[in-house]
Amino acid sequence: MSREEPCGAIVRAEGLVKTYRPEGAAPVPAVRGVDLTVQRGEFVAVTGPSGAGKSTLLHLLGGLDRPDSGSIWLDGRQVDTCSEARWAVLRRKHIGIVFQFFNLVSNLTVADNVELPALLAGSSPRQARAARAELLAELGLEGKENSTPSELSGGEQQRVALARALVNAPSLLLADEPAGSLDSKGTREVLRLLSRFHQRGQTILLVTHDARVASAADRVISFFDGRIADDAPLGADRDRRTSGVADVLRLKG
Ligand code: ADP
């Protein structure tokens, strides 16, 4: 039976463990026991060197991968026990995800890419169109509605991916290296937009190996070797936060 989590947390994870077991190779422990709570409205960055287990953690929290052990609550409901079908519904309605390589549907227009998840979540065509129009305007993509992804720059494609992730007003936005394939202008743009949505109350968990990208968040979790090495709560604790990131960068070197 599911346990209820009566607090203001959007996400809570307890004792998460994930080991990959590739055939014919040694097991790879990727997440080695993580406890994490993200409160409503927080913008949290998980940073650390490549291979630290950051993407695995994000995949576990988004139900894209299953933990070997541990529990996850989303909006107070235990979700680690959910079926694949239930996770798909959760992702459609409550969790938006942006990836490094955008993952847009290449043969659909920008408008259709953004409207599709709204329609799948049960919006009427009119509601989906209205939500799409508002988001594309907000993201500076007016006039691009009928383009296909390949006609856009990387930065524009990531903005479309952001619109798609936000169209159902998810409780949680997960971003996996959202600036990882962008130039510095695209990176600044995506960070500016994430900050803007955060200021309006969007809860964001972002995973990045780039300490500069992480510094857009108001809480930085340093991840190393599958574990949380440092977790600096808020802006007031900025010194500690900076030193945590510096530690990880030193470890990386
Ligand atoms: P990060 O996002 O911090 O770069 P990952 O979560 O991608 O780290 O990877 C953590 C560890 O798990 C790494 O050693 C990586 O090689 C390994 N790993 C990730 N995905 C798989 C997989 N599908 N199969 C086997 N090993 C994997």
Side-chain angles (χ1 to χ4, degrees), residues 181-199:
S181 56
L182 302 180
D183 60 15
S184 53
K185 179 166 170 277
T187 298
R188 277 198 304 278
E189 187 63 26
V190 161
L191 293 179
R192 190 177 64 75
L193 291 166
L194 287 175
S195 295
R196 189 194 293 174
F197 284 105
H198 167 235
Q199 275 157 22

Side-chain angles (χ1 to χ4, degrees), residues 20-22 28-30 48-57 176-177 207 223:
Y20 292 105
R21 301 184 187 279
V28 184
S50 179
K54 308 180 298 295
S55 285
T56 302
L57 176 65
D176 191 358
E177 297 283 3
V207 156
F223 214 65

